[in-house]
Amino acid sequence: MSDANRHYVLAAGGTGGHLIPAFALASELERRGHHVALITDARGAEIPGKPDFLPAHVLPAGRFGKNPLSWFKGVRAVLEGRSMALRLFETFEPSAVIGFGGYPALPALLAATSANIPSIVHEQNAVLGRVNRLLAGRVQAIATAYPDVKRLKPKHAGKVHLVGNPVRGSVLALRDEPFPAFSEDGLLRVLVTGGSQGARILSEVVPDGLAMLPPALRSRLQVTQQCRPEDIDAVRERYRSHDIPAELGTYFENMESRLADAHLFIGRAGASTIAELTAVGRPAILIPLPIATDDHQNFNTREMVKAGGARAIRQGDFTPGQVAKQIQAMAQRPETLATAAHAAWNCGRPKAASDLADLVESFGGSELMDVIRVGGNNARAASQGERVAQGSARDEAA
């Protein structure tokens, strides 16, 4: 296999948060002439947005809950998945395996370690996830989306590469478009989404919060809100009673165009959401999901909030009055909102897919190509040096 045409395996859990960056990397690697395969679970294999060129392999992936009695079943599934991944690697011969978190990534990365195939993990959140924590000592590189990542041990700091969180090309294309015109008497377009787990409280709080705005601002509102199917009629009635024009839906296919038109976003603080907001440059009011593992959504907000591109409200403090207060602070004057938009834009890492692809390409090629591409001081060189040292120690012991 030539350096110009390699094989790579991406492994990711079956949620959009794991798969969106995996799809973005797959597209970039395919554009560079490489062959890419995906390992995921049954849910991930069917998720919308998977590139047509990307074959999906479904592997068993055990889950490890709080009940130790369930761990035996989980371990058995991981071992079965690891064996299946090894068989795939024998035929596909990947130069590297890249994990994006989630339990389905675990068997593939364990198989890579067993087969001496270089492996990389990408962490989308500001807290290192469980699977990535488990594998941090085994992989050659840890790619991060934030400069400060919690639960990352200092001894692994030498493996860390800040690349950002890759977003869909259709969203990234909006980065160079200007912030929508917003004037003292123009429309204020608000986009509200909450995801499958978090839309209900947004449906209950946001309409009443918008109704509490001063009449001069409330009369200019134009709302687009994603709701759960069981909530949509009640939300529609809420907006109707407040005389606020609102377009409601359970799913919007053209979310990019909604984001392009929006002046202000209100919603959860998932990694992909923040990556898209900062890629495009949209100010936000963020309500971290309180049940998110390790409170990672709260930590996800910190960079954007510190820069001035967002306000964060803990769910316990998320009231209609607080919504109205924060919107007034951000949108009372056009220049304030535009400044927040620019601050959000400055937090974006638009080269995330390209930078992650560069990192991936630095593993599994010829030694000369790796040195030329990333220099001698890289994680691969360090890991090779470690293996050489271990080999020398074994030779001396023999």
Side-chain angles (χ1 to χ4, degrees):
M1 188 188 307
S2 72
D3 281 315
N5 186 345
R6 303 188 207 165
H7 293 180
Y8 293 102
V9 169
L10 313 186
T15 66
H18 297 305
L19 285 166
I20 288 172
F23 293 163
L25 176 63
S27 296
E28 177 64 19
L29 290 173
E30 197 267 348
R31 188 187 68 78
R32 297 184 183 195
H34 304 302
H35 298 286
V36 191
L38 173 70
I39 286 176
T40 186
D41 57 16
R43 180 176 51 164
E46 300 299 326
I47 200 165
K50 184 176 75 65
D52 292 338
F53 64 81
L54 185 64
H57 302 267
V58 176
L59 266 62
R63 292 189 173 275
F64 300 89
K66 294 181 180 179
N67 182 4
L69 296 177
S70 68
W71 292 358
F72 176 76
K73 184 178 179 181
V75 169
R76 187 172 61 184
V78 168
L79 292 176
E80 182 184 351
R82 176 179 169 275
S83 296
M84 293 173 66
L86 283 169
R87 290 196 293 273
L88 171 64
F89 297 168
E90 286 177 3
T91 56
F92 194 68
E93 297 182 349
S95 294
V97 177
I98 303 93
F100 288 84
Y103 286 113
L106 182 57
L109 289 161
L110 290 175
T113 300
S114 176
N116 290 319
I117 298 169
S119 56
I120 302 162
V121 292
H122 179 269
E123 179 55 61
Q124 300 89 49
N125 292 296
V127 180
L128 201 64
R130 290 174 181 172
V131 169
N132 287 349
R133 286 203 298 270
L134 182 65
L135 295 164
R138 296 171 178 256
V139 300
Q140 280 66 54
I142 301 169
T144 65
Y146 294 92
D148 180 24
V149 178
K150 308 297 181 185
R151 305 294 293 271
L152 179 64
K153 293 181 179 179
K155 66 180 181 180
H156 300 317
K159 299 180 179 183
V160 174
H161 301 258
L162 174 61
V163 299
N165 194 11
V167 300
R168 295 169 292 164
S170 56
V171 172
L172 194 59
L174 301 173
R175 182 166 175 83
D176 295 327
E177 298 294 321
F179 184 63
F182 178 61
S183 62
E184 294 282 1
D185 55 359
L187 288 175
L188 172 60
R189 290 188 290 270
V190 179
L191 175 63
V192 187
T193 71
S196 58
Q197 296 185 80
R200 172 155 288 168
I201 191 166
L202 296 171
S203 295
E204 292 171 348
V205 172
V206 173
D208 294 345
L210 294 175
M212 294 176 69
L213 291 170
L217 191 55
R218 188 179 68 211
S219 65
R220 296 156 50 204
L221 287 171
Q222 187 174 71
V223 181
T224 301
Q225 183 161 347
Q226 184 186 30
C227 309
R228 300 199 304 188
E230 60 268 34
D231 298 333
I232 195 165
D233 289 338
V235 178
R236 184 174 287 115
E237 182 54 39
R238 258 195 169 99
Y239 278 117
R240 186 182 294 119
S241 67
H242 295 316
D243 197 25
I244 296 174
E247 179 185 1
L248 308 180
T250 57
Y251 176 75
F252 294 118
E253 285 192 8
N254 56 339
M255 189 57 80
E256 302 88 48
S257 65
R258 313 281 174 165
L259 191 58
D261 290 339
H263 294 111
L264 178 65
F265 173 88
I266 303 175
R268 292 302 191 186
S272 292
T273 295
I274 291 183
E276 292 190 353
L277 290 171
T278 56
V280 178
R282 292 296 180 271
I285 295 173
L286 300 168
I287 305 92
L289 182 68
I291 61 171
T293 307
D294 297 319
D295 199 22
H296 67 253
Q297 286 204 4
N298 177 46
F299 291 104
N300 288 352
T301 68
R302 295 197 171 181
E303 183 184 28
M304 198 174 171
V305 168
K306 184 178 179 181
R311 307 288 180 103
I313 307 174
R314 284 288 200 171
Q315 185 158 309
D317 300 322
F318 185 57
T319 62
Q322 191 62 232
V323 170
K325 177 182 176 181
Q326 297 300 337
I327 293 176
Q328 279 188 263
M330 297 180 78
Q332 194 78 299
R333 297 191 306 276
E335 61 271 21
T336 306
L337 199 61
T339 299
H342 189 65
W345 189 89
N346 279 337
C347 291
R349 295 184 173 88
K351 295 183 179 179
S354 176
D355 288 347
L356 182 56
D358 287 346
L359 177 63
V360 166
E361 283 187 327
S362 73
F363 293 89
S366 69
E367 304 308 318
L368 178 61
M369 286 297 293
D370 285 344
V371 170
I372 290 172
R373 187 176 293 107
V374 295
N377 228 4
N378 59 71
R380 177 171 165 76
S383 66
Q384 288 170 340
E386 185 178 319
R387 287 198 294 272
V388 169
Q390 289 171 347
S392 298
R394 284 195 297 270
D395 292 343
E396 288 174 12

